[in-house]
Each structure stands twice: as structure tokens, then as C-alpha cells.
Amino acid sequence: MKVSFPHMGNAYIPLSALLSNLGAEVIVPPRPTSKTIDAGALHAPEFVCLPFKVNLGDNLRALQMGADTLAMVSGMWACRFGYYGRVQHRILRDAGFEFESILLGREGVGAVYNKFRDTVDGNLTLSWLRAFRAFKRKAEAMDAIEKSAREKRPYERDRGSTSAAMDEGLRLVHEARGLKEADRALDGARELLDGVELEDVMEPPLKVAVLGEIYAVLEPSLNFDIERRLGEMGIMPFPVMSVYKWLFRPLKTDPSILIEERRARRTARPYIAYVLGGEEHQTISGTINAARNGYDGVIHLYPFTCMPENICRAILPRLESDFNIPILNLCLDEHASPTGMTTRLEAFVDLMLQRRRSRSKG
Amino acid sequence: MSYYRYFPLWKTLLEGSGAEVVLSRRTGKSLLENGVRHCVDDICVPVKLYYGHVLDLKDRVDSLFVSRVVSVEKADCDTYTCPKLIGLPDMIKSSLEGLPPMIEFVVDIQNMSLKTSAKKLAKDLGARAGTARKILSRSLDVQARYEAELLRGLTPEQAMEKVFEGGNGEHEGAAVGERNVNIALVGHEYLIHDPFISHNLPRKLKSLGANPILMSEVPQEVLEKELCRYPEISWSYEKELLGAASYFLGRDDIDGVMLIIGFACGPDSIIGEIINREVRTPLSPPLTTLVLDEHTGEAGVATRIEAFVDLIRHARERQ
Ligand code: SF4
Ligand code: SF4
């Protein structure tokens, strides 16, 4: 079985570990670029949300690279994401590709569990356990590396050195086979990151919460790698979500994530009374928390026509005045350009600096 | 946005409780423009329209009646309408200034019956328990009659006229087969029946000698039977579109199907694709998709419809 799945940040690292432990050959398409998006947009319905187009582009690449199975989560949710797998796979079949689908969530756990009966030699349950352990270990390593890079970047002496160390560290983890090797890879990655030269900065960096539609927040190809961009502008980004949480939230194995979700819903309730099916509670509560914790601003990212975030977008100006915190809305689509983004970020940074200065004066 | 679904219920309920019902004016250019100006740019047209209607009303009333439609069917699995219908009151509340107090009508059939919702509303309006019960049963009654008229093929406008004014709603030949070209319309009713945004689509079809068949004529059982053939959908209104499309596309007395979708409508972008790819077969009558937004000109719509009707007529002549 040659299996592939669409990109979501660095999620391919733990997911590859999971699937290869189940005896599948994993095909990881190259990181999405504007070409991927264009290819996806060509086959996608015209005004479907951007993540759909990127995912479709990833799948196309994977099929061209020889994948014979495509995996995707899918389900009965209030938002479009639940239909991605179904519609994308149909589009690809109509375009003449032949492949097997794994639709996690729609097919039930049992069906997915059994899909790997032929690829595993030996006991299936044991393989799943082993695969899950590897998945978890690598997800944790990935999260630790991302976090450490995020904290270092604003202080780095040579611009780009943190990201270089991070990429190298992630590569080590991705290539590690087995748990022991993964641990060693994480140590190696830590060393690399510790080796990044830092310098003293005059003022503490601006603190910015980054939130919005989950894919727009976590997938660098969609948001022009905003986390890195901000870090290299000397700003400390605080993403409200992480790939790690995104992977583990539906598994319900980590109580702290569930508690945090519930808390977010509660904070958001005065503004959004019902579940809308996206990250709306994180967006609203993230903004409120950012203001309460004294952040300098909030960056709200969402794909063009994204339903839950459109609603948030209508509510955020109210939060901006209720909680007195500046918010930058960035709407992403396939025509967005990195220069446009830079200009808007720079203007926003100026605004935040000004506010900080006038505050410390007054 | 649920005017075409629940207005008879609301009206009876509100008037019965002693309130005077003031409706926003019919959609027009300035109303829509006003809505667009106060709205998020990339939101769907119907929400922009709704904003326009709210703005039209806000200075003329003492309180504003808004609906929040969360779920409209009782099922074992989760069902929803659309995130925007669920979050509509939240959006309005947070983004418009100077609104009168709001009365919120929540439809959440998954968790409470329509009757409970109506009861809540009557209570909010301060009706006494005794009268409340009477008003309640009368409004549910009117609502049921309205829905029955829709099933007979009346447009919402005709059906309302009939229910409220006892007119006969001039039921002009909506039965399948009477005119020479039967065109089924599949799409959200707040698009198709808004005379401004759809540029009077049903009437335009009639003037071309075609016979528009509305989705609201298809009984619930038929929709459900059709839906069994496809994997589950969680959006109830989109299920109706899918079921109706599947029903119409499988009939030989329907000459064409028009799928009317709103620009930037999230669920439609998915369901349109599913209808085009999973439902349509080589034997189906022709299917065309018409995307409406605030910039769609009257002429554009007219041309599309004429072309579609011509196509059907030509195809028939050739046979
Ligand atoms: S949350 Fe937004 S981007 Fe994601 S599926 Fe829904 S509409 Fe699309
Ligand atoms: S179903 Fe479509 S048109 Fe209706 S509110 Fe939702 S997004 Fe807008």
C-alpha cells in the first residue's frame, strides 16, 4: 500500500511514523506551493474554501508520485471540512485516477483498523499500538522543536538561523526509525537549536496572538509562514492552536486539550452562543485572553469565504473596542501575495509599537 | 432569512401576543447596498441581504425579531443548518450599532420541538399562560396550512396570501406537464424567491413559456427516499437540495433542472459539486448552475435562462 495524505504543517512527521509502522509505504508530497494551489484550484469548485484547493493539490501530487491510497479525515460536521475527503476523492476519480480511500471518521474505526490487515505481518493490534506510540513520540518531538524555535526566533543574531536549525532538527526526527532513534533525534535537534546565537534586545518583543481558521493558522504555505515572518521581525507570536493539539484533540486522549476546549467555549459564549463547527470559540476566546494577558495585538487569519471565521470577523471589531486590543484581519486566497502581507504586517507592527509607547508614557 | 419558512408562524404568534408586526421593505438596490456596506466582504449574499433588512427596520421598530436556526430535524446524528444561520444573531448583535432590543427565536429541533420554541417566544412576549396556549395552537395551525399550500406548488408569496387573506392564491397551472417546458428550481428559497436577488427568476421562466417547478412541492417522504441513495449529509437544508435534485434529475417529465446557488455560500459549494458529480447521470435532464451575487445583473440572469430554455426546446425538436 502506498498511502498519502494532504499536508498540515509538520503533521506529516508523526503521520508518516504511524502509517509506516502499519506496514504502508508513505508518500509525502512536497510542501505545497502556489503551484500546488493552482493545480488544486483548477479541479475544485470555484468558491470552495482555500484549504480544499490546497489539499486537492497535495492529493494530485501524491497520485502523480505513485500513491495508490489516499487518507483523509471526514465526518458529519457543521462545516465544509467534513466533506473534503468525499468530494475531493470523487473529483480525482472523475479526473481518471484510481486509488483506495481511507476516510477516517466516516468509515468507522473498525473499518480503518482492518484496512491494514494485509500490510502488517504479525499481530495487527500490536502493530497499531506500536504505530500509535511512534506517532505520539514524534508528535511530541515535533511540538517541542516548533515551540523552542518560536521562542528563540525574535532574539536570533543571524536572521534565519533558528529556522535553519529547526528544519534540520525536524528532518532528523522525521528520518528517525524507532522510538530510541526518535529520542536521540530530538536531543540532536535541541542541540542544534541551542547552538543558535542570540543577542540582547533593547525592548521585550511585541507579543501577538495568532488565531483564526485552523488550516490558515497552521499551514505555512497558506499564511506565507507567518510565524517565521513575525519572529524574524522581532515579534513573539503565540499561535492559539498547534499541529500537536490538532492531531490529538479528536483522539480525546489528552485531557488538558479537552479542558482547554471547554474553557474556550465558555469564554466565547457571550459572543457566540452555539457551536458553529470551526475554530470560532478559539478565535473569540483567544482574542479575549490575549487582551487579558496584556498582548500587543491579535492577528486573525482565515481563508476567503470561510464560514465560521466570517462570523468571527463580524464580531471581532466589537471585541477590539470592548477589550481594547488591535486586531489585524488577514483574508487568504489563492491570489494573496507575500508582499501584500508584509506591507500589512509592517503597518500593524508600527501601530502596536505606537500603542506600547503611548501607554508606557501615559 | 427564514421568512419563507416560518413567517406565518411568527406573524400569528406575534400578533396574537399583542405585538404589531412591521416587515422590512422588499429588497431593493439601496437596501442591499446598505447591507453590503455593514457586512464582512466575503460573506454570502443572503447574509448581506439580511443585514440590509435589519438596517431598514432598526429605526422603525421597538424591538427586532431575529431567528436563529440551529437544527431543523430530529436525527440520531448531528445535523445543522449552516454556521451562518446559527451565528446570525451573534453577528448582528456585535456588528451593528444602535439596534433596538432583540427578540430571538431559536429553532433547534434536535434539542427542542418547534412548539417549545414558540412557547418560549410567547412567554418572552408576556402572553398569559391561557392565551398563550390558544395562540400557540393557532399559529402552529396556520404554519401547517402554509406548508400544505407550498406542497401544492404555490410560491411562498401566493401561499402566504392565501393563508392570511383567504384569497385563492391564483393557482396557475403548476401541475407537472401542463406547459411545454418544465424546469425544476433547486436552491435556497431565500435566493430563489427574493425578487431582487434572483431577478424574479420564477416569473421570468413563466414569461418564456416555461413552467417553474419548486422544490417546496416535493414531499418530505420523497426527499428522504432519494437521500437514502447517498452518503449522509449533516446540513439539513442542503439535504433538501440534494434530495430534490436527485428526484428531479431522475424524472422524465422534468425537462431541465436549474441549480441556483449564492456566491460565497459554503454549503452550496460542496453540495453543488456533489449534485454534479454523484447525482447527475448521462440519462438525466440537462442541469445548469446559476450563481447569484449582488453584482449579478438582470440581463445576465435573463440571458442564462433564455439560453437554457432554448437549449431544451432545440433538443426536443431534434428528437
Ligand atoms: S472552517 Fe472555513 S476553511 Fe475550514 S472547512 Fe469550514 S469554511 Fe472551509
Ligand atoms: S446556506 Fe449558504 S447562503 Fe445560506 S447562510 Fe449559509 S452560506 Fe449563506
Side-chain angles (χ1 to χ4, degrees):
Chain A
M1 184 196 295
K2 293 185 183 170
V3 61
S4 185
F5 46 83
H7 272 293
M8 168 65 137
N10 293 314
Y12 71 94
I13 296 175
L15 287 173
S16 303
L18 179 85
L19 291 163
S20 55
N21 269 287
L22 290 167
E25 184 185 329
V26 183
I27 306 241
V28 180
R31 301 275 329 150
T33 60
S34 60
K35 275 214 195 74
T36 321
I37 303 180
D38 290 344
L42 200 66
H43 293 269
E46 189 191 337
F47 46 83
V48 79
C49 35
L50 188 56
F52 186 102
K53 297 176 183 170
V54 187
N55 284 179
L56 188 61
D58 280 343
N59 278 336
L60 266 168
R61 268 315 297 254
L63 290 170
Q64 286 157 0
M65 288 166 69
D68 59 17
T69 306
L70 295 180
M72 187 72 187
V73 288
S74 185
M76 293 281 287
W77 299 313
C79 209
R80 285 184 265 198
F81 191 66
Y83 302 91
Y84 271 25
R86 168 177 175 183
V87 177
Q88 285 165 348
H89 291 185
R90 177 69 197 226
I91 290 175
L92 292 167
R93 290 208 171 91
D94 285 352
F97 289 101
E98 282 172 24
F99 57 91
E100 286 271 327
S101 300
I102 300 182
L103 294 179
L104 214 65
R106 246 177 211 279
E107 297 181 32
V109 180
V112 174
Y113 176 86
N114 281 318
K115 281 247 156 92
F116 295 92
R117 186 136 295 202
D118 296 335
T119 55
V120 169
D121 13 85
N123 187 307
L124 185 57
T125 316
L126 276 182
S127 301
W128 265 102
L129 284 176
R130 207 174 317 124
F132 187 73
R133 257 210 331 239
F135 168 73
K136 185 151 188 275
R137 191 70 60 92
K138 285 209 175 176
E140 285 160 358
M142 166 198 76
D143 199 44
I145 295 172
E146 287 176 355
K147 212 175 273 164
S148 144
R150 190 178 305 139
E151 286 161 6
K152 289 222 156 69
R153 224 178 253 123
Y155 303 100
E156 69 190 1
R157 172 168 316 194
D158 302 316
R159 185 173 278 196
S161 53
T162 316
S163 297
M166 175 179 94
D167 291 345
E168 181 58 19
L170 288 172
R171 192 183 61 81
L172 290 177
V173 173
H174 183 48
E175 284 169 6
R177 304 172 131 259
L179 296 181
K180 275 218 194 72
E181 237 180 82
D183 289 344
R184 238 175 292 135
L186 177 58
D187 291 340
R190 284 219 169 94
E191 250 166 62
L192 283 169
L193 281 161
D194 286 343
V196 172
E197 284 189 57
L198 306 181
E199 61 182 1
D200 289 333
V201 290
M202 312 276 267
E203 270 183 88
L206 291 167
K207 295 200 285 183
V208 177
V210 179
L211 41 73
E213 194 276 329
I214 190 139
Y215 203 77
V217 174
L218 298 181
E219 175 50 53
S221 62
L222 238 75
N223 59 29
F224 305 109
D225 211 346
I226 192 160
E227 195 175 305
R228 173 171 179 175
R229 224 168 252 264
L230 287 170
E232 292 177 358
M233 289 166 88
I235 295 160
M236 184 69 83
F238 291 89
V240 167
M241 285 297 290
S242 69
V243 174
Y244 178 84
K245 286 188 211 161
W246 178 76
L247 286 169
F248 281 86
R249 184 169 60 181
L251 299 177
K252 300 203 165 84
T253 50
D254 186 340
S256 69
I257 297 178
L258 299 178
I259 293 169
E260 196 198 299
E261 280 282 296
R262 201 159 323 133
R263 203 172 291 146
R265 291 243 179 254
R266 204 172 320 127
T267 315
R269 190 147 313 137
Y271 294 91
I272 290 194
Y274 284 76
V275 176
L276 306 178
E279 299 300 322
E280 66 283 352
H281 53 301
Q282 297 285 4
T283 300
I284 301 293
S285 72
T287 306
I288 297 176
N289 291 335
R292 287 186 181 151
N293 296 330
Y295 288 17
D296 297 283
V298 171
I299 295 181
H300 176 225
L301 296 162
Y302 71 98
F304 183 64
T305 77
C306 169
M307 301 189 279
E309 298 303 330
N310 259 178
I311 298 173
C312 292
R313 169 88 200 259
I315 297 171
L316 286 175
R318 172 64 39 110
L319 296 181
E320 199 166 17
S321 59
D322 282 4
F323 291 89
N324 189 23
I325 184 162
I327 301 175
L328 175 67
N329 298 106
L330 290 175
C331 174
L332 307 167
D333 69 7
E334 60 258 53
H335 313 299
S337 80
T339 33
M341 171 116 161
T342 313
T343 324
R344 297 201 52 199
L345 280 181
E346 280 168 357
F348 190 59
V349 170
D350 286 345
L351 175 90
M352 289 189 292
L353 280 174
Q354 243 167 36
R355 278 187 81 228
R356 188 184 262 192
R357 289 200 190 110
S358 65
R359 262 192 184 169
S360 56
K361 258 188 241 145
Chain B
M1 289 180 69
S2 309
Y3 170 81
Y4 299 107
R5 298 240 169 203
Y6 296 116
F7 182 65
L9 172 76
W10 297 338
K11 182 174 152 80
T12 326
L13 209 57
L14 291 169
E15 288 182 343
S17 315
E20 183 194 340
V21 176
V22 182
L23 273 182
S24 53
R25 279 174 270 251
R26 283 170 86 96
T27 312
K29 196 154 176 251
S30 66
L31 183 142
L32 176 61
E33 277 169 3
N34 211 4
V36 171
R37 213 168 315 123
H38 288 84
C39 232
V40 179
D41 311 330
D42 54 332
I43 212 156
C44 57
V45 200
V47 170
K48 292 180 173 162
L49 270 180
Y50 193 84
Y51 267 66
H53 283 273
V54 168
L55 289 166
D56 177 61
L57 273 177
K58 80 177 169 75
D59 298 325
R60 295 195 280 137
V61 295
D62 303 318
S63 56
L64 189 67
F65 178 90
V66 292
S67 63
R68 186 198 288 276
V69 189
V70 181
S71 64
V72 290
E73 49 180 338
K74 186 127 186 103
D76 321 328
C77 51
D78 290 345
T79 63
Y80 305 91
T81 51
C82 161
K84 290 178 200 156
L85 293 172
I86 306 177
L88 196 54
D90 300 325
M91 268 195 282
I92 299 280
K93 232 182 291 181
S94 291
S95 56
L96 294 179
E97 298 297 331
L99 291 182
M102 296 206 317
I103 306 173
E104 195 177 305
F105 183 76
V106 182
V107 181
D108 188 2
I109 310 276
Q110 189 73 262
N111 296 305
M112 64 181 178
S113 69
L114 196 57
K115 202 166 160 190
T116 320
S117 309
K119 226 186 262 168
K120 271 219 181 94
L121 178 67
K123 212 172 99 217
D124 286 350
L125 290 168
R128 270 180 297 108
T131 37
R133 203 159 329 123
K134 234 188 293 153
I135 304 167
L136 199 65
S137 70
R138 194 163 42 167
S139 7
L140 289 172
D141 206 46
V142 170
Q143 180 69 19
R145 264 180 24 230
Y146 171 68
E147 285 170 12
E149 292 302 336
L150 288 182
L151 271 180
R152 284 185 45 219
L154 296 197
T155 63
E157 210 178 334
Q158 291 166 335
M160 280 187 210
E161 196 179 305
K162 187 156 180 199
V163 170
F164 289 128
E165 281 146 38
N168 64 5
E170 46 168 313
H171 187 189
E172 23 173 324
V176 173
E178 284 185 20
R179 295 202 187 202
N180 65 0
V181 180
N182 291 317
I183 295 192
L185 298 180
V186 176
H188 294 289
E189 65 286 346
Y190 45 73
L191 274 176
I192 297 183
H193 297 299
D194 187 285
F196 188 79
I197 207 79
S198 81
H199 300 288
N200 257 322
L201 183 69
R203 198 163 305 160
K204 274 218 171 62
L205 279 171
K206 270 193 195 151
S207 69
L208 290 172
N211 180 30
I213 313 285
L214 304 175
M215 262 171 73
S216 46
E217 290 171 38
V218 186
Q220 191 58 34
E221 312 85 73
V222 176
L223 288 181
E224 261 152 38
K225 215 169 86 211
E226 293 291 336
L227 284 169
C228 291
R229 299 168 41 197
Y230 309 97
E232 288 269 14
I233 303 274
S234 56
W235 299 309
S236 304
Y237 289 156
E238 304 299 317
K239 265 161 93 170
E240 292 177 4
L241 303 194
L242 177 61
S246 165
Y247 171 71
F248 290 135
L249 285 172
R251 288 179 64 108
D252 42 21
D253 53 357
I254 296 288
D255 303 299
V257 178
M258 289 191 96
L259 185 61
I260 320 292
I261 63 185
F263 181 75
C265 169
D268 281 0
S269 67
I270 293 286
I271 221 72
E273 205 65 12
I274 292 183
I275 290 174
N276 267 297
R277 292 179 184 270
E278 293 183 21
V279 180
R280 191 197 342 209
T281 68
L283 298 176
S284 307
L287 169 72
T288 186
T289 306
L290 185 64
V291 180
L292 297 175
D293 71 6
E294 65 263 39
H295 311 297
T296 319
E298 168 131 35
V301 175
T303 332
R304 287 290 307 275
I305 305 178
E306 275 164 34
F308 190 56
V309 174
D310 282 349
L311 175 117
I312 293 169
R313 290 219 169 100
H314 282 312
R316 186 181 292 170
E317 275 162 24
R318 245 179 287 132
Q319 269 178 10

